[in-house]
Amino acid sequence: RNPRFLYSALSYFSPQQMMELLEDAYRVTGKAALLTMVSRLSQQAMNWSSVLNTISVQRPTSRSITLEELETCLNIEHGSREGYYNHFIRANSPEQLADGARACMARGWMSGSATELGAPRTGWEKLQRHHGAICGGLNNGSSLTNCKVNGTVNVTADTSNNSVYVGGLAGIGDTGYITDCYSGANVSIVTPNIGHAGGLAGMLGGGQARNSDAAGSVTVVQSGSNSGASLNAFGTMYTSGIISDDCNAGGNVSAHSTNGFASAYGTVNANNSLNTASVSASTESGNATARGAYGGENSSNNSGILATATGSGHSVAIGLHGVNGGKNIGSITARAASGSAMARGGESVGSNVTNSGNVTAESVSGGSNAGGIYGQGSSSKNCSNSGSVTATGDTNQALAIGMNSCAESQ
């Protein structure tokens, strides 16, 4: 009866909010005119069920995507660039996705459409590739400070999830900051394809992590037999192009692949950090790599590192890799059946690196290569090895060296 009021209300509320209000009013008053208004709004509102059922880009907007992905997404919109960009923006905006889910529920209640009612769940399942106990992603300079979590973060992915990122605090971050945080959460992924799990985050590509520790276990296991699978477990997190500082790993870290690649790390690109987590990677057919500390200054490993390849694949186990200043006291073991086995207390290290852990490379029928400290020539100074170094298997392919390519070392 009051068009001005109705116009004012429609301009203040979003279509989905207005539909919800009108439906609630109908339940109270039973006025059929309210349902007519809902029907008209539904006809004019965006078709969110289409967006949620065909989310084009299943990764955060701040992440880079390939040309092939863009072309696929453009084809979904029948070549319309405007349609694609609108779809892209809406499908990667948490606020708009939440509004869209509400709109689908309101329209589904009105029409009884199973497509409308099922769209919110379908969209969520497509988006839930990035998991964390506190948040899925850290982007655009967002940060976590003075946070503490315990419990579990478990994710089981299917074949529609190509890449999964899971962390104790956050799943993935392109430009994020983690400061003075602690995670005691046990993190696990079961996936047929690609998985990154970390005690703090699955991946942090930009920003920085400081003074934060992870004490929970991290486990990644392959389901199925996809030879292109990549299973990656990190005591703290995988970092790409950034250096974290004083971030320590303390939970057991393991990755297992049936037919793909398995890698497990204690710390990655971390300064002044310590890994006390046992680190193991194993494969039934592919290659296995396990490292205690990878990159950084003054980073050490105090725990056992084990890489096992029971099939035709190769195994690599390293205590300290690319570290400048640090100690390895954990045992380092690489085992292989028919592939090669390589074990190092330190690999491609800088200066002031020591190894006192026992290093063993074992291959039944392939080559085995064990080394205490492998440096980078004249740039690797003041290094020492006091651990035993053993290579077993085919005697014609077994090599054990205490020190190699290190200057002014013992």
Side-chain angles (χ1 to χ4, degrees):
R1 294 182 180 179
N2 190 335
R4 288 185 178 180
F5 168 77
L6 179 60
Y7 175 81
S8 177
L10 289 173
S11 63
Y12 181 79
F13 294 106
S14 65
Q16 55 270 13
Q17 289 174 319
M18 199 64 204
M19 284 190 287
E20 290 173 343
L21 290 172
L22 292 172
E23 288 172 359
D24 289 341
Y26 169 76
R27 293 187 185 98
V28 174
T29 64
K31 298 292 185 180
L34 295 171
L35 292 183
T36 301
M37 295 174 66
V38 173
S39 178
R40 290 178 179 175
L41 277 173
S42 177
Q43 293 172 7
Q44 298 174 10
M46 175 182 170
N47 183 5
W48 270 103
S49 65
S50 174
V51 173
L52 291 169
N53 278 302
T54 59
I55 288 176
S56 54
V57 179
Q58 298 178 35
R59 61 176 65 198
T61 53
S62 59
R63 295 210 56 191
S64 60
I65 59 179
T66 66
L67 178 61
E68 289 76 11
E69 285 178 298
L70 285 172
E71 290 177 345
T72 299
C73 299
L74 190 59
N75 289 335
I76 291 175
E77 300 298 332
H78 307 291
S80 168
R81 291 184 179 274
E82 182 179 0
Y84 162 68
Y85 288 121
N86 286 336
H87 195 142
F88 175 80
I89 293 169
R90 291 187 175 99
N92 288 275
S93 165
E95 295 83 2
Q96 293 201 40
L97 284 171
D99 286 344
R102 292 170 62 186
C104 287
M105 294 301 293
R107 292 171 62 154
W109 178 86
M110 178 71 184
S111 65
S113 168
T115 300
E116 294 281 2
L117 292 172
R121 176 167 181 168
T122 301
W124 170 247
E125 289 175 345
K126 288 187 176 184
L127 286 166
Q128 62 172 356
R129 301 181 315 117
H130 310 300
H131 303 258
I134 294 180
C135 62
L138 281 173
N139 298 305
N140 301 318
S142 56
S143 63
L144 295 175
T145 305
N146 296 320
C147 297
K148 181 178 180 180
V149 298
N150 287 293
T152 59
V153 184
N154 300 326
V155 174
T156 299
D158 58 27
T159 54
S160 66
N161 299 113
N162 184 53
S163 300
V164 181
Y165 298 84
V166 182
L169 297 172
I172 188 171
D174 281 348
T175 309
Y177 297 84
I178 298 174
T179 307
D180 298 325
C181 291
Y182 168 87
S183 174
N186 297 321
V187 180
S188 70
I189 298 176
V190 178
T191 178
N193 297 316
I194 300 172
H196 291 73
L200 295 176
M203 186 183 84
L204 191 62
Q208 192 175 45
R210 295 174 57 87
N211 304 320
S212 298
D213 297 337
S217 63
V218 180
T219 306
V220 185
V221 177
Q222 181 183 5
S223 59
S225 58
N226 175 17
S227 61
S230 178
L231 295 307
N232 308 280
F234 306 92
T236 52
M237 66 198 134
Y238 171 69
T239 62
S240 175
I242 68 166
I243 296 294
S244 59
D245 189 68
D246 195 17
C247 293
N248 307 307
N252 295 333
V253 181
S254 65
H256 177 76
S257 170
T258 55
N259 195 34
F261 174 75
S263 67
Y265 296 74
T267 62
V268 176
N269 294 334
N271 292 340
N272 307 308
S273 299
L274 174 65
N275 174 61
T276 57
S278 64
V279 179
S280 64
S282 59
T283 64
E284 298 173 27
S285 180
N287 300 330
T289 298
R291 292 178 171 91
Y294 183 85
E297 302 275 342
N298 301 316
S299 290
S300 298
N301 173 64
N302 285 6
S303 196
I305 309 298
L306 173 64
T308 305
T310 58
S312 59
H314 309 295
S315 64
V316 175
I318 299 172
L320 307 176
H321 193 147
V323 169
N324 189 46
K327 299 178 181 179
N328 175 68
I329 64 174
S331 62
I332 311 300
T333 306
R335 298 188 177 116
S338 58
S340 63
M342 187 184 83
R344 299 276 194 274
E347 170 72 13
S348 301
V349 299
S351 298
N352 303 309
V353 175
T354 63
N355 173 63
S356 59
N358 297 329
V359 181
T360 304
E362 305 172 350
S363 179
V364 176
S365 58
S368 59
N369 188 310
I373 295 287
Y374 270 55
Q376 303 178 70
S378 60
S379 62
S380 300
K381 300 179 180 180
N382 302 320
C383 297
S384 65
N385 174 66
S386 60
S388 65
V389 180
T390 306
T392 63
D394 187 330
T395 56
N396 294 322
Q397 303 181 67
L399 178 66
I401 298 177
M403 298 284 294
N404 190 51
S405 298
C406 296
E408 302 177 16
S409 302
Q410 304 178 34

